Amino acid sequence: MSERPVPHVKVLVVDDDPLVRAGLRMILGGAGDLDVVGEAGSGAAVPELVAKLRPEVILMDLHMPGVDGLTATERLRATPDAPEVLVLTAFEADGHVRRALRAGAGGFLLKDTPPAEIVAAVRRVAAGEPVLSPEVTRRLIGIVTGGAPADRRSGARERLGALNNRETEVAVEVGRGSSNAEIAAALHLSVPTVKTHVSAALAKLGLNNRVQLALLVHDAGLDI
């Protein structure tokens, strides 16, 4: 029997530095299942390219002239059937990181991330998985959010009140940076059941991904 062809993931690279774009094209082009279908030097070009090329993943730099990556991400993720966004950042206490996460960015890649990890991150986010490891999730949330003001905390807790008890337990574990396997072990559930609860929580709360759910739990002060 012949092997099934490996489905290719279409990637759009958005960065104002031509050298960075060339490097990413080379890195992703070396993977047999990733296709760089287009490039842009500003967030202003993103809507047209998305409509034309239909990428599944966008590598998005935050700091660009004109329409920056943060604004482009917020606009893009507010549209139906938007592609996943991986933010490219130097991550030097970047004050825009929280906004990008809340806008629905699927995760972050540092500009100096090893090539193999970039390829793996694109594959994971294309498959609907978070690209941040539990350790990085905990570190990232701690750095970019700090303690939530009282009004944000009460608002977050009110929103989480839409979940049932089991969904809340799962959400809290997501907020702690636990993987599905870790959540399953802690709550004595199967991994598919954990995935079902995560999906239900995201749907009820109108969130795009686990990172946003983790941030909401953090704001509510439930991840300690």
Side-chain angles (χ1 to χ4, degrees):
M1 296 178 63
S2 60
E3 295 185 0
R4 291 184 177 180
V6 177
H8 283 216
V9 176
K10 295 190 292 184
V11 183
L12 176 65
V13 176
V14 184
D15 195 295
D16 65 322
D17 188 335
L19 292 179
V20 171
R21 297 201 304 270
L24 289 170
R25 180 179 283 276
M26 183 180 300
I27 290 169
L28 300 178
D33 57 339
L34 304 179
D35 293 333
V36 177
V37 295
E39 300 178 11
S42 168
V46 169
E48 181 179 352
L49 289 175
V50 167
K52 178 181 178 181
L53 303 174
R54 299 294 180 185
E56 292 148 290
V57 177
I58 298 178
L59 290 180
M60 182 87 75
D61 185 22
L62 280 187
H63 301 289
M64 295 180 289
V67 178
D68 62 23
L70 176 59
T71 301
T73 298
E74 289 176 332
R75 292 174 179 173
L76 182 67
R77 294 300 298 174
T79 62
D81 302 318
E84 295 292 341
V85 175
L86 281 179
V87 169
L88 292 165
T89 178
F91 195 66
E92 296 176 354
D94 195 327
H96 295 307
V97 171
R98 183 176 64 190
R99 278 183 61 193
L101 281 172
R102 294 188 188 283
F108 285 79
L109 292 178
L110 304 186
K111 288 289 184 74
D112 59 355
T113 298
E117 293 182 22
I118 293 177
V119 170
V122 172
R123 287 172 176 158
R124 286 183 62 186
V125 77
E129 302 174 14
V131 300
L132 302 176
S133 69
E135 292 78 13
V136 174
T137 300
R138 284 190 286 266
R139 174 173 175 265
L140 182 61
I141 290 172
I143 290 174
V144 303
T145 61
D151 56 344
R152 198 165 79 215
R153 175 164 294 191
S154 62
R157 291 188 175 186
E158 183 177 351
R159 287 187 67 189
L160 288 169
L163 306 183
N164 62 36
N165 290 339
R166 182 59 86 182
E167 290 163 355
T168 299
E169 290 176 337
V170 170
V172 169
E173 292 298 325
V174 170
R176 291 171 177 160
S178 300
S179 66
N180 285 338
E182 290 169 337
I183 297 172
L187 299 181
H188 308 289
L189 301 170
S190 69
V191 171
T193 299
V194 170
K195 291 180 179 179
T196 297
H197 286 312
V198 171
S199 296
L202 294 177
K204 286 183 178 181
L205 296 170
L207 301 176
N208 287 306
N209 55 44
R210 294 169 68 103
V211 179
Q212 287 182 315
L213 179 58
L215 284 169
L216 186 63
V217 170
H218 177 84
D219 281 352
L222 302 180
D223 58 336
I224 57 176

